mmCIF file of all heavy atoms in Angstrom:
data_model
loop_
_atom_site.group_PDB
_atom_site.id
_atom_site.type_symbol
_atom_site.label_atom_id
_atom_site.label_comp_id
_atom_site.label_asym_id
_atom_site.label_seq_id
_atom_site.Cartn_x
_atom_site.Cartn_y
_atom_site.Cartn_z
ATOM 1 N N LEU A 1146 366.209 140.310 86.323
ATOM 2 C CA LEU A 1146 367.021 139.479 85.341
ATOM 3 C C LEU A 1146 367.047 138.032 85.719
ATOM 4 O O LEU A 1146 367.329 137.707 86.882
ATOM 5 C CB LEU A 1146 368.489 140.035 85.287
ATOM 6 C CG LEU A 1146 369.423 139.349 84.403
ATOM 7 C CD1 LEU A 1146 368.951 139.519 82.876
ATOM 8 C CD2 LEU A 1146 370.810 139.790 84.529
ATOM 9 N N PRO A 1156 386.281 119.868 90.604
ATOM 10 C CA PRO A 1156 386.614 119.842 92.060
ATOM 11 C C PRO A 1156 386.508 121.292 92.778
ATOM 12 O O PRO A 1156 386.271 121.421 93.976
ATOM 13 C CB PRO A 1156 388.098 119.239 92.086
ATOM 14 C CG PRO A 1156 388.189 118.486 90.908
ATOM 15 C CD PRO A 1156 387.408 119.204 89.911
ATOM 16 N N TRP A 1190 373.282 117.110 94.509
ATOM 17 C CA TRP A 1190 373.927 118.287 94.033
ATOM 18 C C TRP A 1190 372.990 119.402 93.904
ATOM 19 O O TRP A 1190 373.296 120.582 94.279
ATOM 20 C CB TRP A 1190 374.536 117.973 92.627
ATOM 21 C CG TRP A 1190 375.446 119.137 92.086
ATOM 22 C CD1 TRP A 1190 376.775 119.145 92.242
ATOM 23 C CD2 TRP A 1190 375.038 120.269 91.485
ATOM 24 N NE1 TRP A 1190 377.245 120.258 91.800
ATOM 25 C CE2 TRP A 1190 376.243 121.003 91.290
ATOM 26 C CE3 TRP A 1190 373.853 120.815 91.004
ATOM 27 C CZ2 TRP A 1190 376.222 122.378 90.592
ATOM 28 C CZ3 TRP A 1190 373.780 122.027 90.382
ATOM 29 C CH2 TRP A 1190 375.032 122.787 90.155
ATOM 30 N N ASN A 1204 367.795 136.298 98.140
ATOM 31 C CA ASN A 1204 366.729 136.737 97.300
ATOM 32 C C ASN A 1204 366.733 135.970 95.943
ATOM 33 O O ASN A 1204 365.944 136.303 95.201
ATOM 34 C CB ASN A 1204 366.822 138.172 97.041
ATOM 35 C CG ASN A 1204 366.553 139.009 98.419
ATOM 36 O OD1 ASN A 1204 365.831 138.586 99.212
ATOM 37 N ND2 ASN A 1204 367.318 140.075 98.665
ATOM 38 N N ALA A 1219 363.186 122.284 95.819
ATOM 39 C CA ALA A 1219 363.174 123.342 94.853
ATOM 40 C C ALA A 1219 362.011 124.356 95.058
ATOM 41 O O ALA A 1219 360.895 123.957 95.312
ATOM 42 C CB ALA A 1219 363.098 122.817 93.402
ATOM 43 N N ASN A 1229 357.569 122.143 70.157
ATOM 44 C CA ASN A 1229 356.396 122.965 70.092
ATOM 45 C C ASN A 1229 355.301 122.447 69.153
ATOM 46 O O ASN A 1229 354.059 122.830 69.297
ATOM 47 C CB ASN A 1229 356.805 124.393 69.461
ATOM 48 C CG ASN A 1229 357.379 125.140 70.763
ATOM 49 O OD1 ASN A 1229 356.816 125.272 71.777
ATOM 50 N ND2 ASN A 1229 358.618 125.832 70.548
ATOM 51 N N ILE A 1230 355.591 121.533 68.208
ATOM 52 C CA ILE A 1230 354.658 120.936 67.390
ATOM 53 C C ILE A 1230 353.603 120.166 68.202
ATOM 54 O O ILE A 1230 352.497 119.898 67.842
ATOM 55 C CB ILE A 1230 355.258 120.168 66.204
ATOM 56 C CG1 ILE A 1230 356.212 119.235 66.861
ATOM 57 C CG2 ILE A 1230 355.852 121.067 65.166
ATOM 58 C CD1 ILE A 1230 356.835 118.173 65.906
ATOM 59 N N ARG A 1297 350.239 125.938 65.976
ATOM 60 C CA ARG A 1297 349.814 127.022 66.736
ATOM 61 C C ARG A 1297 350.654 128.352 66.227
ATOM 62 O O ARG A 1297 350.238 129.428 66.476
ATOM 63 C CB ARG A 1297 350.065 126.930 68.183
ATOM 64 C CG ARG A 1297 349.179 125.832 68.812
ATOM 65 C CD ARG A 1297 349.368 125.824 70.295
ATOM 66 N NE ARG A 1297 350.684 125.278 70.680
ATOM 67 C CZ ARG A 1297 351.182 125.580 71.947
ATOM 68 N NH1 ARG A 1297 350.519 126.239 72.870
ATOM 69 N NH2 ARG A 1297 352.346 124.928 72.087
ATOM 70 N N ASP A 1304 349.916 137.592 72.464
ATOM 71 C CA ASP A 1304 348.882 138.128 73.389
ATOM 72 C C ASP A 1304 348.641 137.158 74.536
ATOM 73 O O ASP A 1304 348.231 137.510 75.566
ATOM 74 C CB ASP A 1304 347.603 138.402 72.708
ATOM 75 C CG ASP A 1304 347.681 139.710 71.774
ATOM 76 O OD1 ASP A 1304 348.678 140.476 71.982
ATOM 77 O OD2 ASP A 1304 346.870 140.009 70.983
ATOM 78 N N ASP A 1322 351.867 121.609 97.056
ATOM 79 C CA ASP A 1322 351.165 121.045 98.277
ATOM 80 C C ASP A 1322 349.950 121.888 98.791
ATOM 81 O O ASP A 1322 349.499 121.650 99.925
ATOM 82 C CB ASP A 1322 352.268 120.892 99.410
ATOM 83 C CG ASP A 1322 352.921 122.282 99.832
ATOM 84 O OD1 ASP A 1322 352.716 123.171 99.053
ATOM 85 O OD2 ASP A 1322 353.631 122.282 100.873
ATOM 86 N N VAL A 1338 352.145 114.638 62.392
ATOM 87 C CA VAL A 1338 352.842 114.066 61.298
ATOM 88 C C VAL A 1338 354.003 114.865 60.830
ATOM 89 O O VAL A 1338 353.623 116.096 60.333
ATOM 90 C CB VAL A 1338 351.900 113.615 60.197
ATOM 91 C CG1 VAL A 1338 352.639 113.026 59.004
ATOM 92 C CG2 VAL A 1338 350.712 112.815 60.624
ATOM 93 N N PRO A 1369 335.721 119.784 86.633
ATOM 94 C CA PRO A 1369 334.622 120.406 85.654
ATOM 95 C C PRO A 1369 334.046 119.354 84.831
ATOM 96 O O PRO A 1369 334.623 118.346 84.525
ATOM 97 C CB PRO A 1369 335.581 121.367 84.874
ATOM 98 C CG PRO A 1369 336.872 121.553 85.633
ATOM 99 C CD PRO A 1369 337.025 120.232 86.454
ATOM 100 N N LEU A 1379 335.583 115.817 69.317
ATOM 101 C CA LEU A 1379 336.891 116.102 69.872
ATOM 102 C C LEU A 1379 336.832 117.084 71.128
ATOM 103 O O LEU A 1379 336.202 118.118 70.979
ATOM 104 C CB LEU A 1379 337.661 116.860 68.766
ATOM 105 C CG LEU A 1379 339.198 117.008 68.922
ATOM 106 C CD1 LEU A 1379 339.940 115.661 68.988
ATOM 107 C CD2 LEU A 1379 339.703 117.976 67.891
ATOM 108 N N PRO A 1409 338.622 122.859 69.546
ATOM 109 C CA PRO A 1409 337.191 122.394 69.785
ATOM 110 C C PRO A 1409 336.496 123.163 70.946
ATOM 111 O O PRO A 1409 337.163 123.601 71.930
ATOM 112 C CB PRO A 1409 337.383 121.006 70.229
ATOM 113 C CG PRO A 1409 338.717 120.800 70.729
ATOM 114 C CD PRO A 1409 339.511 121.885 70.000
ATOM 115 N N ARG A 1436 329.000 127.836 88.308
ATOM 116 C CA ARG A 1436 327.934 127.609 89.179
ATOM 117 C C ARG A 1436 328.384 128.028 90.561
ATOM 118 O O ARG A 1436 329.165 127.270 91.110
ATOM 119 C CB ARG A 1436 327.348 126.333 89.055
ATOM 120 C CG ARG A 1436 326.095 125.969 89.933
ATOM 121 C CD ARG A 1436 325.507 124.649 89.733
ATOM 122 N NE ARG A 1436 324.855 124.630 88.427
ATOM 123 C CZ ARG A 1436 324.506 123.579 87.730
ATOM 124 N NH1 ARG A 1436 324.529 122.395 88.345
ATOM 125 N NH2 ARG A 1436 323.921 123.554 86.538
ATOM 126 N N GLY A 1452 322.946 128.891 87.408
ATOM 127 C CA GLY A 1452 324.436 129.352 87.556
ATOM 128 C C GLY A 1452 324.628 130.556 86.713
ATOM 129 O O GLY A 1452 323.650 131.189 86.129
ATOM 130 N N ASN A 1464 336.812 134.242 74.262
ATOM 131 C CA ASN A 1464 337.535 134.097 72.908
ATOM 132 C C ASN A 1464 338.997 134.457 73.067
ATOM 133 O O ASN A 1464 339.272 135.538 73.392
ATOM 134 C CB ASN A 1464 336.817 135.062 71.919
ATOM 135 C CG ASN A 1464 337.266 134.690 70.573
ATOM 136 O OD1 ASN A 1464 338.485 134.551 70.300
ATOM 137 N ND2 ASN A 1464 336.290 134.552 69.634
#
Side-chain angles (χ1 to χ4, degrees):
L1146 176 66
W1190 188 92
N1204 295 322
N1229 280 315
I1230 49 171
R1297 289 187 295 165
D1304 285 349
D1322 62 344
V1338 180
L1379 194 67
R1436 181 171 293 168
N1464 190 314

